Amino acid sequence: MKQVTALTLLLSFCSCLLHGQDLITEKQQPGAFPIVAAGKATAIYVDTAAPWLVQKAAALFQQDIFNVTGRRPDILHQLPASAENLIIIGSPDSLQGKWEAFSIQVADHPVKGIAHALFIRGSDRRGTAYGVFELSRQMGVSPWYWWADVPVKKKTEVYVKKGIYQQGPPAIKYRGFFINDEAPAFSGWTKEKFGGVNHLVYEKVFELLLRLKANYLWPAMWGNAFNDDDTLNPVLADQYGIVMGTSHHEPMLRAQQEWKRYGSGDWNYETNAPVLDSFWKKGIVHMDHHESIVTVGMRGDGDKPMAESSNIALLEKIVHDQRNIIREVTGQAPEATPQSWALYKEVQDYYDKGMRVPDDITLLLCDDNWGNIRKLPATGAKARAGGYGIYYHFDYVGGPRNYKWINTNPIQRVWEQMHLAWSYGADRIWIVNVGDIKPMEFPTEFFMDYAWNPGKWPAAKLPGYTREWAARQFGPLHAEAIAQLLTGYTKYNGRRKPELLSPDTYSLLNYREAATVVEDYNKLAEKADSIYKLLPADYRDAYYQLVLYPVLAGANLNELMVTAARNRLYASQGRAATNELADRVKVLFQRDSTLSRYYNKEMAGGRWDHMMDQTHIGYTEWQQPPFNKIPDTKTLDQPQGPPGWGVAIEGSTAWWPEEKNPAVLPDIDVYGQKTTYIELFNRGQQPVDYTTTTGAPWLHLTPGKGTIRIQERIEVSVNWERAPHGKHQVPLTITGPEGRPIVVLAIVNNPLPPKISGTPKKAGSPKIAGVKGFIEGNGIVSIEAAHYTRAVETTIKWQVIPGLGRTISGVEAFPVTAPVQTPEGRSPRLEYALYLFDTGRVNVSLYCSPTLDFTGSGHLRYGLSFDGETPQIIDLARDNSQRTWEQAVADNIKIMVSQHHLSHTGWHTLKFWMVDPGIVLQKVVVDAGGLRPSYLGPPESLSLHDNTY
């Protein structure tokens, strides 16, 4: 050991400090250190006195080198008298005393007899392990090599570039995840493969955490008790350097299951304090010397609120008595043992009403279980010795509905909320509920990477992060395309959790929304499948579980729900296609099972059996159904008599000739929806011939005639070069059997175009030079938030968060810690130029992320005004009822509507003013009388911007 210490002292010199991620090269270059070269692996030295974790990391590194190169290095426990090259792991250096930092250094002639050395040194045992696994990752060993079958990238030779590479300390001290809601998937898998949730499983969990540079774990607790189920669990956790805790409702390192097994009497401190104290004391005794964070406080048994009679004084007494237990057992002051108090659900109410705990206890702030942080420290607040942390969710069991099946967490939303947490100083603990671990691989790694170094990943680099992640798992060739798939499916699944989807979610009638949703997702599925076929065979299992399955399953589920909705509509109209759609629903429902069965039983030889056992179709309440249930469908007995037919139009559930009111199509608008459609359908079993005529030569029907066997769609379009200005009603006549005509009215809107310098431009050509803005079509203007005309900034800037939200992107005022602003003069705002053809009242709907009042001010306000009017102040937090919250998280949007009166036609500037920080704007819709119901809102209006977005 003296040799290594002396050797370390000689390393005060350094070559260049390497920044970035490119330590590894496959070719010899000046000063590069050979890990494997010319068919030989360089030996690894680790002292026998090094901590167990350091020696384990060395052994895993040895295996990683072998898996990459086919060459297995020797591990030495004595420093050789001479060596051309030597890898030295674990020697202390100038980082000593820092938390989990590490350095990787290539040094020449560091001591007599050793020509070249590669040092992997940590400030502590975890820091050393992180340094080792950083090299493994850069060599081509994914943290998910075991958990997701990601192939190791093969290399013949591996070198480390000359220089010093340093990372750490991490921005967040304790970073980890919670295995939760783990039945039936994780529990079924572990029982089949390992005989239960035991140390054999946890060894793999601990290694994963370390490879992700994490250090903290809340263990599985649905029917499981980490310390009680397997006595090797806590021993191995300590050896691996994993800091153990228990969930927000399991105080004093005792699992809920332990109370069920050994507790007596009520889980009630008022009536059963001696028994509870004794129960909790054993948790601290079992902690022994192991690194732990002790959860303090108390919730009701089974993760329920305490009884209504519970009060702040009682809860403060509970914490006081728990700390006395810690003092008694450890023989040290309570503050010597890390503790946390989770302000989960109603517990935050106690805090807000004045409950306090000692300063050294970390206040673990929480989201609302749906990814929206409820509370953050006040800016400028007095520092607490215990600091603040965040408990976040990628998975949840509870209202308004469970979401446990597949990943629904776009990293853009995770970034936005965790950026808030970091900016407001919640940096002691970040822990995320990942459910069964799988299939949350992608957001879990992002969460840990961001916790390690938030500054490395600003909003603009989020697309780059996804590309890099895809490249690390599957290589660079398809990385861009795979990144688009990851971004696409998480957006589609995130805008409404799959468990919340129903046939009524997306509109069949308006904006062709349902059809577009299905088409977009199916295109994503086609692309995902095409890449699967191009990948080498050894990548396909990893690709299926990380990319292909969630894309195919998500696309299939969306099509299933929309097909069921169409079946019900068609049945109400008596269409012959009704039964065909009922059959299609059955096919799609069966395909859902087939996809899951392949994941469980065939992929990777059935290695992950049960991981896709989670039910997800057929919810009737918040709790999951016992089995997937096919959506209800209808079938019809088609008459065999004379031919029967009907006419349906876009935007209506009615059909003609049954309906007595006139058939009026949605407006066709030169600046909006430029086409519409009529559907002719068979109501019997005999083919039906039809012909059409149009009341204007510039209005076209395609096709103009034909035969209806099942149904036919006729597109209605306009020759805008010939169409006269103004609003016109044009009759369209469809003639069927026996010459019976049905008249459909088309409304064509071709207003005079906006005037520029008093000169109207060519009709039918909406791209008007010199204009920047959006133009009304179909009685609305719809604008994506990121497509603003002008951003007025001060020290406060406007940040586009690419990919955030349900449609395109989100925009937020930065810094997120900025003080409250008064909307006036040149205060920060976004401006949207738009053209309206009429005067009078308009409604403006702002689509905002469902952010909560995390500052505790009681407000989450913005200002909104047209032109020079005084801004209206609108508060996202004005209605904090349970019902409003449930709708906001279910829809993953909060839509705020305000009314405005416009006195002139033409160009207007809509101004969105910052007032309170933290609001994320996704979409702006100005309704001049034409807005129709839909889930995602109308598509973006015609842009006359010179810029292209």
Side-chain angles (χ1 to χ4, degrees), residues 401-402 499 614-625:
R401 190 155 292 178
N402 297 353
E499 291 86 346
Q614 179 62 51
T615 57
H616 48 276
I617 306 174
Y619 276 77
T620 58
E621 56 172 349
W622 69 268
Q623 183 58 284
Q624 66 198 38

Side-chain angles (χ1 to χ4, degrees), residues 639-706:
Q640 297 186 13
W645 69 300
V647 174
I649 61 174
E650 182 175 7
S652 175
T653 60
W655 67 278
W656 288 263
E658 175 72 12
E659 173 65 38
K660 302 309 178 186
N661 293 316
V664 182
L665 287 163
D667 288 10
I668 309 173
D669 196 308
V670 67
Y671 297 114
Q673 184 174 323
K674 291 184 173 58
T675 66
T676 186
Y677 64 81
I678 302 166
E679 286 186 335
L680 312 182
F681 54 87
N682 203 321
R683 288 174 51 84
Q685 298 185 19
Q686 304 298 318
V688 176
D689 294 330
Y690 72 91
T691 59
T692 68
T693 58
T694 173
W698 41 263
L699 189 64
H700 303 303
L701 302 179
T702 308
K705 63 181 180 178

Side-chain angles (χ1 to χ4, degrees), residues 821-829 871 913-914:
Q821 301 292 298
T822 300
E824 60 185 9
R826 284 198 51 81
S827 68
R829 65 183 180 273
W913 303 78
M914 179 199 166

Side-chain angles (χ1 to χ4, degrees), residues 528-567:
D529 191 56
S530 68
I531 293 174
Y532 178 78
K533 294 171 182 175
L534 294 173
L535 288 173
D538 59 339
Y539 279 89
R540 290 181 179 176
D541 287 339
Y543 182 79
Y544 188 87
Q545 55 201 283
L546 294 174
V547 182
L548 186 59
Y549 175 78
V551 172
L552 294 181
N556 186 78
L557 182 62
N558 276 267
E559 184 176 353
L560 171 67
M561 293 301 176
V562 171
T563 304
R566 289 175 59 212
N567 165 265

Side-chain angles (χ1 to χ4, degrees), residues 878-930:
R878 69 188 178 198
D879 180 358
N880 60 359
S881 66
Q882 180 73 10
R883 182 177 179 179
T884 297
W885 171 81
E886 287 184 353
Q887 180 175 343
V889 297
D891 296 345
N892 200 18
I893 205 74
K894 198 160 189 179
I895 302 174
M896 305 300 293
V897 182
S898 56
Q899 294 184 354
H900 305 260
H901 190 275
L902 302 179
S903 59
H904 69 273
T905 63
W907 289 104
H908 296 273
T909 301
L910 179 64
K911 301 174 183 179
F912 171 77
W913 303 78
M914 179 199 166
V915 179
D916 292 313
I919 293 176
V920 181
L921 181 63
Q922 296 185 21
K923 190 183 189 85
V924 178
V925 177
V926 179
D927 176 18

